[in-house]
Amino acid sequence: MKQNKMGPIALSGLIIGPILGSGILILPPIVYGIAKDWAVLAWLAIILISFVVAFIFGYISIQFPGDGGATNAVEHVFGPYAKRLAAFYLIIGVTFGASAVLLTAGEYMAKLGGMSPLTVSFILLPVCIALLLARVHFLGKVAFVMSIVAAAVLFLGGAKSLLDYPEPLAITSSFDPSAFGYALLILFWAIFGWEIIGNYSGDVREPKKTIRRAIWISIAAISAVDLVVAAAIQRTAASSIGEGDLTITAIIHSLFGGLSPLIMALLALFLCGSTYFLYAGGIARLIASLSAEKVLPAFLGKRSQHNVPVVGVLVIFVLNVAVLLAVRAGWFDLEELVAFANSFLTINALIGIVAGIVLIPSKFIKISGSILALFFVGMLFFHSSPLSLVLIGVLAVYYLYRHFSARVRLT
């Protein structure tokens, strides 16, 4: 049966919303508070870094297509056990991160009714799972519409805010290298997501052309929204509006007035939903890939007639229910979920970037990628909990042992 596959527009729909994600809702005010007049320059720097990250993961997605995504490139460079290590890092990170995304949407949606954020999350979870079980090109279209709506509202709200205060942005404060560096470190959380693209390479037509075009479309849209919103926050802060109003809701208020809180709740739902689709869908495909390689049980690779990894999706559902129940039991809160997930997403992205440095024949990528890898190492060791570092270390030791044991057997 001929499968419907995504083109560049549908694939970009699975990229734009998730990479904007909840970060665009919370990072601009925080970064301005740290870097002040230099905040927009920090955003420009992180956009340039995003180009490097997108190029690396786009390249390895094209060269090593398949449900395994970037882990296929890791296997080519470092061997099968490194691939499995990176895969399980990603699965753990997404298990906790996807649950955190649901809770984030729940916190915004709870403001519109009497339910708790956790209750809203339990309601949203089966809805997201049902959409993930649909045809992937349909999911791409849904995510694209959601991403475009969210990006358009944020862009228009930011642009209107800038027009209300048309004075050019001016840098009046002295440059503080420490504050600027810390702002960049905070902004690194805005670039996660590119490493998942490869997990969808088997679901796109003409992968080389489609992935390249989707990356360019996504980079252009994400950069435009990031810069306009960051500039609007900076202009709003410099205006007569008080610091207490320095929120994303403030910059869309002139466009939507009293409806701004409702609009922001819907935007959070759109952006968090898109993030969930990208990560959970990508991990379901990774689980199916590991099943096909006999790393995981064979039944986990079962697919529908539309090529959807149905058992992998259901595994994600069960894992997310377990994490949400852990939250209900008081074992985690939202901040702890995010911190725990980010540690595993960081180490997975670091492994992929190092593989890209080895594979890509470009001096610019090798130099810039190496600098980027050092930043990721710093983030991992200075912003991870002891528990996550212990688990990362235990998995690394186990798979290093398996790797060297296999080499000894071959000699």
Side-chain angles (χ1 to χ4, degrees):
M1 180 177 178
K2 185 178 179 180
Q3 301 293 335
N4 290 307
K5 294 194 173 185
M6 293 183 289
I9 299 298
L11 182 58
S12 65
L14 284 174
I15 299 173
I16 296 171
I19 294 181
L20 283 175
S22 58
I24 193 62
L25 303 178
I26 62 176
L27 288 179
I30 293 174
V31 171
Y32 176 77
I34 297 169
K36 299 302 181 184
D37 296 342
W38 300 87
V40 169
L41 291 180
W43 278 96
L44 281 170
I46 212 67
I47 286 170
L48 292 176
I49 291 171
S50 294
F51 272 97
V52 177
V53 174
F55 183 88
I56 289 174
F57 284 106
Y59 178 91
I60 61 181
S61 297
I62 292 168
Q63 298 299 319
F64 301 90
D67 289 334
T71 61
N72 293 329
V74 172
E75 179 179 25
H76 180 80
V77 175
F78 301 114
Y81 290 106
K83 173 184 178 176
R84 295 172 192 179
L85 177 63
F88 284 112
Y89 282 154
L90 187 57
I91 290 170
I92 294 170
V94 170
T95 295
F96 286 86
S99 301
V101 166
L102 291 173
L103 281 171
T104 301
E107 289 199 343
Y108 278 91
M109 297 301 294
K111 296 176 182 178
L112 304 179
M115 292 184 292
S116 70
L118 188 58
T119 300
V120 175
S121 300
F122 274 112
I123 294 172
L124 290 176
L125 176 57
V127 175
C128 291
I129 292 297
L131 287 170
L132 282 173
L133 291 172
R135 300 183 185 186
V136 69
H137 78 287
F138 169 75
L139 179 60
K141 290 178 181 178
V142 171
F144 180 73
V145 171
M146 293 167 68
S147 298
I148 289 300
V149 170
V153 169
L154 290 171
F155 181 85
L156 292 174
K160 178 64 164 58
S161 180
L162 289 172
L163 291 173
D164 289 341
Y165 304 97
E167 299 86 359
L169 294 175
I171 297 178
T172 57
S173 60
S174 59
F175 181 72
D176 183 343
S178 176
F180 191 80
Y182 183 60
L184 284 178
L185 192 63
I186 294 295
L187 280 172
F188 262 85
W189 303 122
I191 66 176
F192 290 121
W194 295 108
E195 68 273 21
I196 299 291
I197 298 172
N199 296 94
Y200 288 91
S201 59
D203 295 297
V204 300
R205 55 179 181 267
E206 299 182 78
K208 184 175 182 179
K209 183 186 297 184
T210 295
I211 291 174
R212 283 180 175 174
R213 289 181 178 178
I215 286 175
W216 282 112
I217 292 170
S218 302
I219 278 284
I222 292 166
S223 300
V225 175
D226 282 346
L227 285 177
V228 168
V229 171
I233 283 289
Q234 193 159 323
R235 169 50 55 206
T236 300
S239 72
S240 58
I241 297 179
E243 288 285 335
D245 295 317
L246 192 58
T247 64
I248 302 300
T249 304
I251 70 170
I252 70 168
H253 188 271
S254 63
L255 201 61
F256 298 104
L259 291 175
S260 297
L262 172 62
I263 298 297
M264 287 305 303
L266 292 175
L267 285 184
L269 180 62
F270 287 175
L271 291 171
C272 292
S274 295
T275 303
Y276 189 91
F277 295 153
L278 178 75
Y279 275 103
I283 290 308
R285 283 159 177 76
L286 179 56
I287 289 173
S289 172
L290 293 174
S291 174
E293 296 172 10
K294 299 181 179 180
V295 176
L296 293 175
F299 76 93
L300 294 177
K302 183 175 176 58
R303 293 175 177 269
S304 71
Q305 62 178 340
H306 302 303
N307 203 38
V308 176
V310 288
V311 178
V313 171
L314 294 177
V315 168
I316 296 297
F317 172 72
V318 172
L319 291 174
N320 286 160
V321 168
V323 174
L324 291 176
L325 288 174
V327 173
R328 172 164 285 179
W331 297 350
F332 291 97
D333 59 22
L334 178 58
E335 183 178 345
E336 290 167 341
L337 281 182
V338 171
F340 195 79
N342 279 341
S343 296
F344 288 91
L345 295 176
T346 299
I347 187 64
N348 173 74
L350 176 61
I351 294 171
I353 287 170
V354 173
I357 292 169
V358 174
L359 290 169
I360 300 173
S362 164
K363 288 185 179 179
F364 172 76
I365 291 298
K366 290 183 183 299
I367 294 172
S368 59
S370 298
I371 295 172
L372 187 59
L374 291 175
F375 273 107
F376 272 68
V377 170
M379 286 196 304
L380 182 65
F381 285 100
F382 290 104
H383 295 276
S384 296
S385 68
L387 175 60
S388 60
L389 287 175
V390 168
L391 289 175
I392 287 170
V394 168
L395 282 170
V397 169
Y398 172 74
Y399 277 106
L400 281 172
Y401 170 77
R402 295 288 302 275
H403 172 77
F404 286 112
S405 295
R407 292 189 65 179
V408 169
R409 288 195 300 270
L410 291 174
T411 58

